[in-house]
Every structure is written in C-alpha cells, then in structure tokens.
Amino acid sequence: INYPDNTTYIAYGRCIEYSLESKKELLLLKDLTLSMQAYGKKEHSHLKLFGGVAFDMDTPATIPWEGLPKGLFFIPEFLITKKNNKCFISFFILINKNSDAQRIYHYYQSFIKQLNETTVLPEAALIFQYNIPSKNEYSGLFNQIKDSINNNAINKAVLSKIKKFNVNNRVSLQKTSSRCTNFHIDFSKNTHFIGSTPERLIEVNKKVFKTDALAGTSKKNKNNIKKF
C-alpha cells in the first residue's frame, strides 16, 4: 500500500486473519482486543490491521466479486514500513507456552535472508480478454438510463463496466501520483485486488472520523454549509 504522505506498507504472510460475511461479524471485530508483547525499536507503535469490506454486505456477490469474502482483515506476519527513504521491519507471531524461541528466531532470519536476495522478474504483460458489458450492451443501457432521467423516473445514475485482463507474471505497484493511495492485496495465489484511489475513505484518530467523499452528494443549508 502506498499512501499520499509517502508512507509505504508491504505486508507478507498472515499472522491472524478475519474473514467476514456479515455486518454483525464486522461489529464484533470492532470490539476485538488482543494481548500483545512488543520488543525492540518502536515497541509502543500501534498494531495495524489491513483489509476492507464490501460496500454492501447484505446482498449476494456478483461478477467479479464472487468467491471472495464480504470483508477481510489481517495482521501480517512481516510488515515492512518505508517512509522518508527509511525502512522498518515488524515481525508478528502468535505464541503460547509451547512456542520454540529458537525456531521463531530462525524463521525470522530466513525471511531477512530472502529480502537480501535480489530477484529480477521479467516484465509482466497484460492480455485483454473482454468487456462486461460489451460495447453494444453498454450503449443500450446508456439509452435506457437517459430515457429514465428524461421521464423523471430517476435523478442520477453512475454507469460502469469491467475490463478483464490476464497477466503472465507477478505485478508490483508503481506510484504515479502523490495524491493517490495505491493498494495490492493477494486473496490467493491467483486472485488479487489492485486499485488506486484519490479519496481518503475513512480515517480514525482518537475516535475522530475524517473522510473525503469526492463523488458524494449532500444537501446544503441556508448558510451554504454541507451537512453529513
């Protein structure tokens, strides 16, 4: 994940994963508490969860979201934080009275060794497959929406379409705009969610919520002030 403040997070592996299928499960996750012991530098840093939820958790998933959880959050095994050309590695693992400290240490060292091994990947090629809907279907849908607006049946509509591509190699994020948040989440070996958004969907800091709803619509009062 690349944020506009030049902070980059690279998460590898899953220490804990929460797959959600309902709003009830999401609310339970909100109240989750974990007992954590931290060591080393920045030991007082906040624990970070990565993931997200669908806009509508109550309806069955359709193309291209079928087979994916309605919500997914996880604490990574390894988290690389990069900011101002400095990198910091955090390692998270579940432990109990039977945990082997020596084995955990060697596991961490093997990961560090992999980081030091440089691998040059061939350039990935995107192979276009098809549009959903097709050009003719999209034109017909547009005309239906236009007629509905002219007849005052609806006031507003947002049309979208899906372009399906295949990629023949692994891909990586390249930040092209300082104002966008870029993300790449692996659901499985062959299922990835990649995107870029200029919006701050939500930020929570000491129970204060902030958002930038660029495509949002809200009424103004007599003082020309937007209310949310």
Side-chain angles (χ1 to χ4, degrees):
I1 300 176
N2 296 326
Y3 286 103
D5 66 353
N6 291 320
T7 301
T8 298
Y9 293 110
I10 301 175
Y12 179 85
R14 308 280 171 92
C15 175
I16 305 176
E17 180 177 292
Y18 304 96
S19 182
L20 312 175
E21 293 297 336
S22 67
K23 289 181 180 178
K24 181 179 179 181
E25 293 179 0
L26 179 61
L27 293 174
L28 291 175
L29 180 63
K30 181 178 68 69
D31 297 326
L32 176 71
T33 58
L34 295 172
S35 176
M36 183 177 72
Q37 294 290 331
Y39 304 94
K41 295 181 179 180
K42 297 186 179 181
E43 62 180 275
H44 300 296
S45 298
H46 294 295
L47 189 64
K48 293 179 175 61
L49 276 79
F50 295 88
V53 297
F55 284 111
D56 187 352
M57 299 185 72
D58 297 326
T59 58
T62 57
I63 295 175
W65 308 107
E66 68 272 29
L68 299 180
K70 294 295 183 66
L72 178 70
F73 290 90
F74 65 91
I75 299 170
E77 274 192 331
F78 296 94
L79 177 63
I80 301 173
T81 304
K82 180 181 179 182
K83 189 169 185 178
N84 299 326
N85 294 321
K86 294 181 179 179
C87 289
F88 184 83
I89 300 177
S90 303
F91 174 43
F92 305 92
I93 190 169
L94 293 174
I95 60 174
N96 55 44
K97 63 180 182 180
N98 297 318
S99 296
D100 187 334
Q102 193 68 20
R103 184 175 181 181
I104 293 172
Y105 173 77
H106 286 304
Y107 183 63
Y108 171 78
Q109 288 297 325
S110 67
F111 176 78
I112 299 301
K113 182 179 179 181
Q114 290 180 51
L115 288 182
N116 293 325
E117 295 176 354
T118 303
T119 301
V120 178
L121 297 175
E123 184 175 348
L126 288 177
I127 304 170
F128 173 74
Q129 288 194 306
Y130 52 78
N131 287 315
I132 305 174
S134 66
K135 182 177 180 180
N136 290 337
E137 292 171 334
Y138 191 86
S139 297
L141 180 60
F142 176 84
N143 290 328
Q144 291 178 27
I145 297 296
K146 183 178 70 172
D147 292 341
S148 296
I149 293 176
N150 291 336
N151 295 330
N152 296 319
I154 61 174
N155 296 320
K156 180 181 179 180
V158 179
L159 295 180
S160 63
K161 60 182 178 180
I162 297 171
K163 284 183 174 290
K164 185 171 183 180
F165 294 86
N166 275 348
V167 62
N168 65 346
N169 207 334
R170 286 184 290 178
V171 297
S172 61
L173 294 179
Q174 180 176 357
K175 194 166 186 176
T176 57
S177 173
S178 61
R179 295 175 294 176
C180 291
T181 295
N182 306 307
F183 56 88
H184 177 176
I185 298 176
D186 292 330
F187 286 103
S188 66
K189 182 179 179 180
N190 297 313
T191 306
H192 316 279
F193 183 29
I194 303 173
S196 181
T197 172
E199 300 178 85
R200 174 174 54 185
L201 299 180
I202 189 168
E203 177 184 334
V204 182
N205 185 10
K206 296 181 180 179
K207 296 186 178 181
V208 176
F209 293 77
K210 295 181 181 179
T211 184
D212 298 326
L214 300 185
T217 303
S218 63
K219 293 183 179 180
K220 295 181 179 181
N221 60 19
K222 62 181 180 180
N223 295 321
N224 203 34
I225 298 175
K226 288 186 177 182
K227 287 187 174 182
F228 295 93

